């Protein structure tokens, strides 16, 4: 076991095989850049458009939720991050984590090395989807 802190998240880098890293809530891209440097193909998602620090990180504006839908988003008072809120005036398409995971694993079920979720408290609802069944490494 070789635990390292990458972008504030602790992962066992011995489990990385050069596969896919899914970074949900990639504000700042610290985690994305860190796992890309370790050889992973990075797909990052966030609620708003951002400048991607490297051209080898694939970035999409999307909310990752428990169901496919359109969500409203709002910025926090200190403007440090965006979150889903019914009162928000900006609409963003969301995709279920289950559908996203199936997209990446369709041909190679074991291709996802790491999934990082930083969704302002929505992690449990996202992971509680009974259809979401990640492949253990």
């Amino acid at each position: 076991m070789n635990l390292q802190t990458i972008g504030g998240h602790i992962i066992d880098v011995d489990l990385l095989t050069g596969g896919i890293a899914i970074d949900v809530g990639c504000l700042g891209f610290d985690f994305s850049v860190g796992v890309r440097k370790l050889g992973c193909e990075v797909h990052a998602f966030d609620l708003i458009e951002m400048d991607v620090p490297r051209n080898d990180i694939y970035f999409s504006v999307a909310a990752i939720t428990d169901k496919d839908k359109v969500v409203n988003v709002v910025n926090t008072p200190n403007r440090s991050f965006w979150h889903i809120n019914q009162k928000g005036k900006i609409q963003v398409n969301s995709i279920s984590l289950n559908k996203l995971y199936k997209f990446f694993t369709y041909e190679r079920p074991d291709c996802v090395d790491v999934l990082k979720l930083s969704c302002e408290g929505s992690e449990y609802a996202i992971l509680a989807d009974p259809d979401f069944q990640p492949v253990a490494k």
Side-chain angles (χ1 to χ4, degrees):
M1 187 179 297
N2 182 5
L3 299 178
Q4 290 186 22
T5 301
I6 301 173
H9 303 274
I10 299 171
I11 64 169
D12 182 354
V13 296
D14 288 343
L15 296 176
L16 302 179
T17 65
I20 293 172
I22 301 172
D23 184 359
V24 177
C26 60
L27 185 65
F29 291 98
D30 294 339
F31 184 81
S32 292
V33 170
V35 293
R36 179 67 194 118
K37 287 179 180 176
L38 293 171
C40 288
E41 176 183 309
V42 178
H43 294 266
F45 301 87
D46 212 309
L47 295 174
I48 59 166
E49 188 68 47
M50 293 185 250
D51 292 329
V52 182
R54 294 174 56 133
N55 62 1
D56 57 356
I57 293 174
Y58 303 100
F59 174 71
S60 297
V61 175
I64 308 302
T65 59
D66 57 335
K67 296 181 176 75
D68 296 343
K69 55 190 171 187
V70 174
V71 295
N72 295 345
V73 297
V74 65
N75 203 338
T76 56
N78 62 2
R79 303 183 107 16
S80 62
F81 63 88
W82 291 78
H83 64 276
I84 296 172
N85 184 311
Q86 291 179 345
K87 296 178 182 176
K89 294 184 175 153
I90 297 173
Q91 291 191 323
V92 175
N93 289 324
S94 75
I95 184 171
S96 71
L97 179 61
N98 187 47
K99 184 181 277 186
L100 181 69
Y101 195 82
K102 283 182 178 180
F103 171 79
F104 286 115
T105 60
Y106 179 73
E107 292 184 11
R108 287 184 33 223
D110 62 345
C111 72
V112 176
D113 280 353
V114 62
L115 166 65
K116 191 246 351 172
L117 292 175
S118 181
C119 307
E120 311 312 326
S122 298
E123 295 85 357
Y124 180 77
I126 293 169
L127 293 172
D129 178 352
D131 295 326
F132 177 60
Q133 298 178 354
V135 177
K137 289 278 182 180

